[in-house]
Amino acid sequence: MIVLGSNSEVAQAFVEEVLQQDGNLENLYLFTSEVETAEKFARHLQVKYLQDSEIIPLDLTNEVNFQHFERIDGSLLFCAVGYMGMDTDEGLYDSKNTSRVLDINYSKLLPVLTYFAEKMERRRGGTLVVLSSVAGERGRQSNFIYGSAKAGLTAYLSGLRNYMHDRRVNVITVKPGFMRTRMTEGLPLNPVLTVTPAKAAKYIFRAYKKQQNVVYVLPVWRIIMFIIRHIPEFIFIKLKL
């Protein structure tokens, strides 16, 4: 199993869900830009599950050296890479913030996903589970830089799923909605629309086992986003969303 963004709470919860439900993994690769934090999780897995893992440094704000990944392979990839950046009022005209948001959520991430998708294609099997966001369904003033990157990621995953269908590689797009994580700490999240990483991991694991295509962790988000997508533009531009 390959985990991109392995310090994410939902990524760690998903790894534990896999170990609890399917048993130990032959190989577990934890990709991270924060090695020391990942080492703590690796020790936790060793103590609780007797699961060995290998930590692979990956910083999507720099150029990725794919030669370092040649020996790495897996039938399951879980990607929880994400960076929200500054809110619009603070970060819209900050080019460094924009570049970082786009690099981490889209432009530097896609080649990594494609690299491992190709490995799965060559052996005719595998699953990519990738977290995108409901923020990518329509640009809203509060987070449209982040949302535009996630919109691009969602479109990429849709195309990759279409391309890989006859090649026995399944691509699952996950749209969690609000999730109580470090990235959303301090935000006024509606508890009815918010899910914990542990609960999200259980939903995502079930979707993985069913080989679903597009997953809203909380079904209510499918309804909410349907409404938001269909608000006429002359009304939408006046809304504070």
Side-chain angles (χ1 to χ4, degrees):
M1 180 178 176
I2 297 163
V3 185
L4 306 180
S6 61
N7 288 337
S8 157
E9 295 101 316
V10 68
Q12 295 183 356
F14 184 82
V15 170
E16 294 205 53
E17 188 70 17
V18 170
L19 295 175
Q20 290 168 11
Q21 300 297 331
D22 287 349
N24 281 34
L25 299 159
E26 182 178 353
N27 294 297
L28 175 59
Y29 301 102
L30 304 175
F31 283 72
T32 180
S33 61
E34 299 177 3
V35 171
E36 289 185 5
T37 305
E39 286 174 345
K40 295 178 183 178
F41 181 55
R43 289 195 293 270
H44 166 75
L45 296 178
Q46 178 59 47
V47 170
K48 186 172 182 179
Y49 301 101
L50 301 178
Q51 173 66 55
D52 293 329
S53 56
E54 182 177 350
I55 296 170
I56 311 294
L58 176 64
D59 184 352
L60 293 177
T61 62
N62 295 317
E63 291 302 315
V64 177
N65 187 344
F66 289 95
Q67 291 182 342
H68 293 164
F69 306 156
E70 288 179 355
R71 62 181 178 79
I72 296 171
D73 204 353
S75 60
L76 172 60
L77 180 146
F78 186 90
C79 176
V81 171
Y83 177 70
M84 190 171 290
M86 303 176 187
D87 62 28
T88 302
D89 289 339
E90 185 181 3
L92 177 58
Y93 304 118
D94 186 320
S95 59
K96 289 184 179 179
N97 175 70
T98 298
S99 295
R100 186 176 177 86
V101 170
L102 295 178
D103 282 349
I104 294 174
N105 294 295
Y106 183 76
S107 59
K108 297 287 183 62
L109 176 61
L110 262 59
V112 177
L113 294 174
T114 304
Y115 178 84
F116 288 113
E118 182 187 11
K119 287 195 170 192
M120 292 181 185
E121 179 188 0
R122 286 203 301 265
R123 59 178 159 77
R124 303 288 291 178
T127 300
L128 295 94
V129 181
V130 183
L131 269 63
S132 186
S133 174
V134 296
E137 298 200 26
R138 191 166 189 177
R140 293 172 292 122
Q141 62 177 273
S142 59
N143 65 353
F144 64 88
I145 300 298
Y146 171 78
S148 67
K150 290 298 187 181
L153 176 61
T154 296
Y156 163 83
L157 295 172
S158 177
L160 184 65
R161 179 164 48 249
N162 184 209
Y163 177 83
M164 290 292 185
H165 177 70
D166 294 332
R167 294 166 171 83
R168 300 179 183 175
V169 177
N170 192 43
V171 179
I172 302 175
T173 304
V174 180
K175 300 180 181 182
F178 295 153
M179 190 154 49
R180 189 69 64 183
T181 66
R182 287 186 295 269
M183 191 168 72
T184 60
E185 188 174 357
L187 296 179
L189 303 181
N190 186 326
V192 176
L193 305 177
T194 305
V195 67
T196 64
K199 191 172 183 180
K202 291 184 182 298
Y203 285 132
I204 297 167
F205 181 80
R206 286 201 293 268
Y208 156 60
K209 285 299 184 180
K210 293 178 180 178
Q211 296 289 278
Q212 294 179 351
N213 297 316
V214 179
V215 180
Y216 291 83
V217 172
L218 292 180
V220 66
W221 278 104
R222 188 182 297 274
I223 300 170
I224 292 171
M225 297 316 299
F226 176 85
I227 294 170
I228 288 177
R229 287 196 308 271
H230 289 85
I231 296 173
E233 192 68 18
F234 74 91
I235 296 175
F236 189 79
I237 61 174
K238 301 174 184 177
L239 302 178
K240 303 293 184 181
L241 296 175

